[in-house]
């Protein structure tokens, strides 16, 4: 057939097309285009075109993807070379012609299946001739695509930018980690599509909701299988530090091929970062978001318990989840036509443990707005994410006789400083207002009351408010510390005790320092001190002391935080007050200056 038509060659004009489709950084040799946007190919003939005009009128192009292409499921299309292009379906038209070549413009639907395609040419029902292969991606530049993003600066940030910042640390000391997303590295696209190919529902690859869920589930499964626990002995810790990753693609490569350095779980953000890379690579706008003081493992409950010993040190884990120091997640941008109106825009990837072996379905995609409005009925994951930024924490004292006593503590305010990298800059952008209404506002009160009522009606919570510890003989405790401590440095801390009554009080004071991992797991006990005090009536007493890392029993592990806790117990009433601060350990930065 090719000889009968006299085709000499087909030029996919990859460099030109990829430039126009914002894929030139992936490759200049392979044709990689975005759906809903035309691309050009050039057919070269062995003889003058007029000899083949009758035959050319019978020519159709065929595109196909997947292992079993089918017109019925949208993985195969047949269309003529016509002067009438159809923007809603596959179409082709002649752009330019000379005596021995035609330039043909091919347009793909804005809802086409993404993936690796073959392009074939067929004449009069004969055996098709393969012209070549190309790759089709989502297109946030085209309004008809479900991932369309209006703002060009945002498209450049959330699709094209390979160099990012991920925010770690504490709400009082936000630290930035430079990260190479690397979505345009040589094998990033093939790795991403190779990961997606585990899903055999290729016809669903036209839907970014399906694609994001599958990728989120698979990456979570690979993380659970391949991420190693952080070594506990010093020599092994130093080895893990040498293996610390600074980019997504080596991690993705290691997970999928087994080659490369291992990943340790103290790099808490790697799963969110790798998901961001894969989504950007395939054309879905994505970003990494960090929530400070995030309630995890609550099952949607709005109360979290923490337990501390009489020495003021964390003791065991609560049954209703725990407050992570920070938690990273991935947001992606798309429309949600299957949901009620108003839930388009940023969506949260929320992977979970697979049920009944259904790994590919073990990830939800939750609209950020649903979290802010507390729309629990939209999907079960909304309750978990709502609790993550709205739960209250109760602190219990574990007494020597085995009983538990509720302490009088300042309720931890969770869901703080929800942060992501700013568009087109290195500034940290606070997006907390996307997830919750301002603290104390009428809107926040209305949403909380509605969610609490709904959970009580469904008997999902037996209690939703922290119990009150009002007493006729109060004692107040406050703690002042710096937000960070230089590695190997000193810090000054102040404990403020307030006795507002007309009688003096005997108080037992316990101060402790522990090294904590980001997920509120105790890494090491570092230091503790106890003292007895007499507080005069109507007295405010400040106790200030300096604490050096040399005072610690051991060095804090890599990527850990200092948790400073104070427990003050009134000897007569046994009322205990509790205060806590998490302190980031700042490691020195290496600055290299080049002499002119």
């Amino acid at each position: 057939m090719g000889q009968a038509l006299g085709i000499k060659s087909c030029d996919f004009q990859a460099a030109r097309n990829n430039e126009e489709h914002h894929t030139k950084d992936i490759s200049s040799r392979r044709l990689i285009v975005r759906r809903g946007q035309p691309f050009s190919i050039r057919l070269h003939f062995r003889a003058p075109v007029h000899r083949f005009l009758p035959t050319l009128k019978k020519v159709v192009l065929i595109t196909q993807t997947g292992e079993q292409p089918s017109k019925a499921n949208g993985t195969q299309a047949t269309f003529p070379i016509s002067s009438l292009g159809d923007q809603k379906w596959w179409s082709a038209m002649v752009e330019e012609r000379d005596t021995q070549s035609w330039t043909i413009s091919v347009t793909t639907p804005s809802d086409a299946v993404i993936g690796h395609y073959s392009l074939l040419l067929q004449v009069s029902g004969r055996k098709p001739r393969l012209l070549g292969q190309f790759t089709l991606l989502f297109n946030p530049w085209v309004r008809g695509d479900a991932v369309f993003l209006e703002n060009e600066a945002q498209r450049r940030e959330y699709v094209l930018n390979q160099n990012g910042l991920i925010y770690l640390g504490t709400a009082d000391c936000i630290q930035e980690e430079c990260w190479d997303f690397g979505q345009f590295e040589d094998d990033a696209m093939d790795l991403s599509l190779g990961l997606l190919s585990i899903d055999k529902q290729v016809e669903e690859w036209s839907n970014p909701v399906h694609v994001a869920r599958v990728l989120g589930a698979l990456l979570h499964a690979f993380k659970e299988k391949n991420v190693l626990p952080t070594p506990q002995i010093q020599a092994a810790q130093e080895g893990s530090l040498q293996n610390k990753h600074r980019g997504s693609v080596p991690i993705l490569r290691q997970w999928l091929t087994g080659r490369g350095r291992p990943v340790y779980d103290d790099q808490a953000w790697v799963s969110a970062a790798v998901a961001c890379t894969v989504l950007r690579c395939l054309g879905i706008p994505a970003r990494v978001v960090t929530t400070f003081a995030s309630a995890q493992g609550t099952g949607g409950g709005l109360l979290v318990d923490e337990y501390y010993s009489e020495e003021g040190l964390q003791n065991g884990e609560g049954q209703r989840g725990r407050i992570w120091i920070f938690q990273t997640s991935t947001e992606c941008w798309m429309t949600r036509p299957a949901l009620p109106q108003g839930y388009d825009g940023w969506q949260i990837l929320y992977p979970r443990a697979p049920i009944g072996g259904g790994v590919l379905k073990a990830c939800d995609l939750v609209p950020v707005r649903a979290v802010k409005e507390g729309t629990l009925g939209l999907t079960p994951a909304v309750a978990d994410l709502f609790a993550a930024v709205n739960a209250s924490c109760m602190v219990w004292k574990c007494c020597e006789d085995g009983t538990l006593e509720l302490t009088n503590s300042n309720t931890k305010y969770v869901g703080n400083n929800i942060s992501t990298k700013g568009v087109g800059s290195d500034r940290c952008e606070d997006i907390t207002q996307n997830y919750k209404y301002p603290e104390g506002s009428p809107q926040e009160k209305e949403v909380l009351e509605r969610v609490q009522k709904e959970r009580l009606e469904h008997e999902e919570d037996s209690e939703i408010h922290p119990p009150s510890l009002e007493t006729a003989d109060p004692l107040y405790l406050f703690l002042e510390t710096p937000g960070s401590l230089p590695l190997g440095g000193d810090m000054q801390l102040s404990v403020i005790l307030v006795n507002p009554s007309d009688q003096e009080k005997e108080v037992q004071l316990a101060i402790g320092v522990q090294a904590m991992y980001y997920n509120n797991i105790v890494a090491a006990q570092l230091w503790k001190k106890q003292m007895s005090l007499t507080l005069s009536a109507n007295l405010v007493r400040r106790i200030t002391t300096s604490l050096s890392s040399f005072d610690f029993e051991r060095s804090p592990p890599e990527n850990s935080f200092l948790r400073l806790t104070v427990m003050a117990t009134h000897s007569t009433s046994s009322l205990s007050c509790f205060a806590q601060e998490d302190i980031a350990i700042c490691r020195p930065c290496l600055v290299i200056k080049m002499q002119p």
Side-chain angles (χ1 to χ4, degrees):
M1 186 279 302
Q3 287 74 16
L5 187 57
I7 294 178
K8 181 180 180 181
S9 64
C10 179
D11 180 6
F12 272 28
Q13 304 185 102
R16 171 190 164 188
N17 285 315
N18 291 3
E19 173 81 27
E20 295 175 352
H21 285 250
H22 305 94
T23 60
K24 64 175 183 177
D25 290 333
I26 303 178
S27 175
S28 60
R29 298 187 303 273
R30 299 167 59 185
L31 179 60
I32 304 165
V33 293
R34 300 187 186 276
R35 62 187 194 174
Q37 181 177 340
F39 64 92
S40 299
I41 62 172
R42 193 164 184 84
L43 287 177
H44 296 277
F45 301 98
R46 297 183 184 277
V49 176
H50 65 83
R51 295 187 181 181
F52 308 108
L53 283 178
T55 306
L56 284 169
K57 293 178 181 179
K58 303 174 184 178
V59 167
V60 295
L61 294 178
I62 301 172
T63 56
Q64 55 190 36
T65 186
E67 295 177 357
Q68 296 179 317
S70 165
K71 293 180 181 179
N73 64 17
T75 57
Q76 184 183 68
T78 301
F79 49 99
I81 300 174
S82 168
S83 60
L84 300 174
D86 184 352
Q87 298 297 319
K88 295 183 179 180
W89 184 238
W90 292 89
S91 64
M93 58 185 295
V94 178
E95 274 187 327
E96 299 175 2
R97 66 184 75 194
D98 57 33
T99 58
Q100 289 194 281
S101 67
W102 276 7
T103 299
I104 300 172
S105 174
V106 179
T107 299
T108 64
S110 58
D111 60 351
V113 170
I114 68 160
H116 295 307
Y117 274 83
S118 295
L119 178 63
L120 304 99
L121 184 145
Q122 185 181 44
V123 179
S124 301
R126 300 175 186 174
K127 183 179 179 180
R129 167 178 172 170
L130 178 65
L131 298 180
Q133 281 87 25
F134 67 96
T135 303
L136 190 63
L137 305 177
F138 292 107
N139 195 347
W141 280 267
V142 166
R143 189 171 295 274
D145 198 307
V147 302
F148 172 69
L149 193 56
E150 183 85 39
N151 186 283
E152 174 63 17
Q154 290 182 331
R155 290 193 291 254
R156 293 193 173 278
E157 181 66 49
Y158 301 135
V159 180
L160 301 182
N161 190 7
Q162 298 191 82
N163 302 311
L165 296 172
I166 298 174
Y167 296 100
L168 319 172
T170 70
D172 294 326
C173 182
I174 297 177
Q175 301 170 317
E176 58 185 40
E177 177 86 4
C178 294
W179 195 258
D180 177 20
F181 289 108
Q183 66 267 30
F184 300 143
E185 286 193 24
D186 288 344
D187 57 346
M189 184 184 70
D190 290 330
L191 287 170
S192 300
L193 287 171
L195 177 68
L196 184 60
S197 68
I198 297 174
D199 171 42
K200 300 307 177 184
Q201 290 182 281
V202 180
E203 66 276 8
E204 293 294 332
W205 294 8
S206 62
N207 183 357
V209 174
H210 176 86
V211 169
R213 281 176 167 162
V214 166
L215 293 173
L218 288 171
L219 288 171
H220 180 70
F222 275 104
K223 171 184 174 269
E224 293 297 299
K225 178 181 178 181
N226 294 289
V227 171
L228 304 178
T230 303
Q232 296 301 309
I233 61 174
Q234 188 66 30
Q237 282 181 20
E238 292 172 358
S240 71
L241 180 58
Q242 294 171 359
N243 283 326
K244 190 172 183 180
H245 287 274
R246 301 289 183 182
S248 297
V249 177
I251 296 173
L252 184 61
R253 194 180 295 126
Q254 200 272 335
W255 287 357
L256 297 184
T257 69
R259 299 192 304 270
R261 296 174 296 166
V263 183
Y264 292 92
D265 62 5
D266 58 353
Q267 286 190 272
W269 56 92
V270 297
S271 184
V274 173
C276 183
T277 292
V278 172
L279 291 168
R280 287 185 182 183
C281 183
L282 298 183
I284 300 176
R287 62 187 185 183
V288 176
V289 172
T290 303
T291 302
F292 294 95
S294 177
Q296 298 291 307
T298 65
L302 295 175
L303 290 180
V304 177
D305 299 312
E306 288 188 352
Y307 299 95
Y308 286 81
S309 69
E310 292 181 334
E311 297 175 321
L313 301 176
Q314 185 163 313
N315 184 12
E317 182 179 336
Q319 299 297 311
R320 297 190 286 196
R322 54 179 182 255
I323 309 295
W324 287 19
I325 297 174
F326 72 86
Q327 185 263 342
T328 54
S329 59
T330 311
E331 286 183 359
C332 51
W333 179 276
M334 63 192 65
T335 60
R336 300 298 302 272
L339 298 181
Q341 188 174 2
Y343 293 109
D344 296 343
W346 289 114
Q347 317 288 321
I348 308 161
L349 273 184
Y350 189 71
R352 59 187 185 275
I355 300 174
V359 173
L360 295 180
K361 297 181 179 180
C363 182
D364 211 337
L365 198 62
V366 181
V368 172
R369 186 183 171 216
V371 177
K372 183 173 184 175
E373 301 296 338
T375 317
L376 302 188
L378 198 67
T379 171
V382 174
D384 291 345
L385 291 168
F386 183 85
V389 297
N390 288 288
S392 299
C393 181
M394 298 189 300
V395 177
W396 298 85
K397 182 175 74 172
C398 303
C399 303
E400 289 185 353
D401 61 4
T403 59
L404 297 174
E405 293 181 2
L406 184 63
T407 69
N408 187 9
S409 61
N410 294 323
T411 300
K412 285 185 181 180
Y413 184 60
V414 304
N416 294 330
N417 302 87
I418 303 175
S419 302
T420 192
K421 180 184 176 297
V423 174
S425 74
D426 290 340
R427 66 179 178 85
C428 178
E429 180 182 355
D430 191 315
I431 58 171
T432 307
Q433 75 281 355
N434 293 356
Y435 282 75
K436 56 201 293 190
Y437 287 102
E439 183 183 10
S441 67
Q443 298 97 324
E444 182 203 39
K445 181 179 178 182
E446 186 274 328
V447 170
L448 280 171
E449 287 178 350
R450 175 166 44 80
V451 169
Q452 291 165 349
K453 179 181 178 182
E454 189 172 338
R455 289 190 63 81
L456 284 175
E457 287 175 350
H458 290 83
E459 298 182 350
E460 293 171 312
D461 281 329
S462 57
E463 54 180 338
I464 53 177
H465 296 290
S468 174
L469 272 180
E470 293 184 4
T471 175
D473 191 18
L475 175 68
Y476 301 110
L477 171 66
F478 304 94
L479 180 58
E480 293 180 358
T481 67
S484 63
L485 173 69
L487 182 66
D490 302 335
M491 68 175 174
Q492 191 173 71
L493 61 96
S494 295
V495 178
I496 299 103
L497 289 163
V498 181
N499 178 14
S501 69
D502 294 329
Q503 298 180 345
E504 67 176 25
K505 287 184 171 68
E506 298 295 326
V507 174
Q508 301 297 318
L509 191 67
I511 307 174
V513 179
Q514 294 171 291
M516 309 292 295
Y517 290 121
Y518 71 95
N519 56 1
N520 204 31
I521 298 294
V522 177
Q525 313 285 357
L526 300 180
W527 180 85
K528 60 184 178 181
K529 183 177 182 180
Q530 292 180 287
M531 63 183 76
S532 299
L533 303 170
T534 300
L535 294 182
S536 301
N538 300 302
L539 177 72
V540 176
R541 182 167 177 180
R542 175 184 291 267
I543 303 168
T544 301
T545 185
S546 292
L547 189 61
S548 168
S549 54
F550 294 108
D551 298 322
F552 297 157
E553 297 175 9
R554 53 165 293 184
S555 297
E558 172 76 8
N559 289 330
S560 65
F561 300 83
L562 298 182
R563 172 160 296 175
L564 179 60
T565 52
V566 181
M567 184 92 70
T569 303
H570 182 201
S571 301
T572 303
S573 66
S574 295
L575 172 69
S576 292
C577 297
F578 178 84
Q580 169 205 308
E581 291 290 343
D582 290 328
I583 301 168
I585 301 172
C586 295
R587 300 181 183 275
C589 296
L590 177 63
V591 178
I592 300 176
K593 292 184 177 181
M594 303 295 291
Q595 294 293 334

